[in-house]
Amino acid sequence: ISTDEMVPLFGLADNGGGLHLQLKSIGTFIAAAGVIYVAVQYTIYKAVVARIGRFWTMVLGTSLYGPFSFLVPFSLLFEDSANESKNQMGWPRFIFLGLAIGLARTFASMHFSSVSLLLNGSVVTEHRGTMNGLSMFGGSVAKAFGPIFAGTVYAGCVNSSAWSERFGAFLAFGVLAALSTSVSCVAVRARDASGEGGGGVRKTGSGKPAYAKVGRDDEEEEDGDRERGTGVG
């Protein structure tokens, strides 16, 4: 969310820390990024989940989102084309930004999709509605504060007198990339600390962790446990 807010600010900035583009040009490369995202997201997610599972897909998506979003300010290093003197974007910079932002969003989607599935499998069926409600509440709070945080970080970095505007742009995106990568590190450490990634995770009567089963099969096994009197522990 913060990165999505920072990208337009970066495109609009008329000092050395931005591209000084028209709104139309910014919308064009963001739209191109969306096309790339739609084209590759499902294929990549399906292949990665089949290969390494949901948890590590979440970690991978979180880890790679930051580095790919950090590529955005590198577009400042492209030489200006003749059109860019009119606040219009040249093709090399357009292609670069479309790919960088499109792939960054792909990895972000890998994170959020995996988190949703893991959360749904972490509680009994009767509590999924409550859990999803709390999850949506937390997401809404993040959406409210994300733009404020991004604007504050970008303005503070680019307008600082301690370094150049260009370095400030790299620093601003670097801060967000570092935060994203640190989240993946925290997730891995928490999983290792819990032992088998499941400390405190509900298990079914068969002894299998609930997060490994999502959907109708999980519900049917739980119903069978109740009928046999084994319960859900």
Side-chain angles (χ1 to χ4, degrees):
I1 297 171
S2 296
T3 304
D4 288 343
E5 176 69 19
M6 192 174 289
V7 168
L9 295 176
F10 171 74
L12 285 171
D14 57 0
N15 53 22
L19 298 176
H20 194 198
L21 296 172
Q22 297 176 349
L23 290 174
K24 179 180 179 180
S25 297
I26 296 173
T28 301
F29 75 73
I30 291 178
V35 171
I36 294 172
Y37 162 73
V38 171
V40 304
Q41 186 271 336
Y42 176 76
T43 302
I44 293 178
Y45 181 77
K46 182 179 179 180
V48 173
V49 169
R51 183 80 175 179
I52 62 177
R54 291 172 185 167
F55 176 80
W56 291 109
T57 298
M58 178 194 70
V59 173
L60 180 67
T62 310
S63 301
L64 293 182
Y65 172 73
F68 273 91
S69 62
F70 183 63
L71 291 176
V72 172
F74 280 88
S75 61
L76 290 170
L77 304 181
F78 284 78
E79 293 186 5
D80 293 342
S81 66
N83 288 333
E84 294 195 26
S85 61
K86 304 176 182 178
N87 297 344
Q88 297 177 0
M89 181 174 296
W91 279 106
R93 189 171 284 172
F94 172 82
I95 295 173
F96 176 81
L97 286 172
L99 287 172
I101 298 173
L103 291 175
R105 287 183 172 177
T106 298
F107 290 116
S109 177
M110 288 172 58
H111 165 83
F112 287 113
S113 299
S114 299
V115 165
S116 297
L117 292 172
L118 290 169
L119 286 176
N120 277 327
S122 66
V123 296
V124 294
T125 305
E126 292 80 0
H127 293 167
R128 285 178 184 168
T130 302
M131 185 277 301
N132 283 318
L134 292 173
S135 176
M136 291 297 295
F137 173 76
S140 298
V141 172
K143 289 180 180 179
F145 286 98
I148 299 174
F149 176 74
T152 302
V153 170
Y154 185 77
C157 291
V158 173
N159 295 326
S160 175
S161 59
W163 46 68
S164 66
E165 293 90 349
R166 176 170 291 193
F167 178 81
F170 280 91
L171 181 60
F173 280 92
V175 168
L176 297 187
L179 290 174
S180 174
T181 304
S182 66
V183 170
S184 64
C185 295
V186 170
V188 173
R189 293 190 63 179
R191 181 179 187 271
D192 293 340
S194 67
E196 295 295 328
V201 175
R202 174 187 62 87
K203 294 185 178 181
T204 62
S206 63
K208 296 181 180 179
Y211 62 76
K213 298 162 57 59
V214 178
R216 183 176 179 83
D217 292 338
D218 194 15
E219 297 176 5
E220 291 176 352
E221 177 165 339
E222 290 175 3
D223 292 338
D225 289 339
R226 295 190 186 97
E227 292 175 359
R228 294 191 297 271
T230 59
V232 178

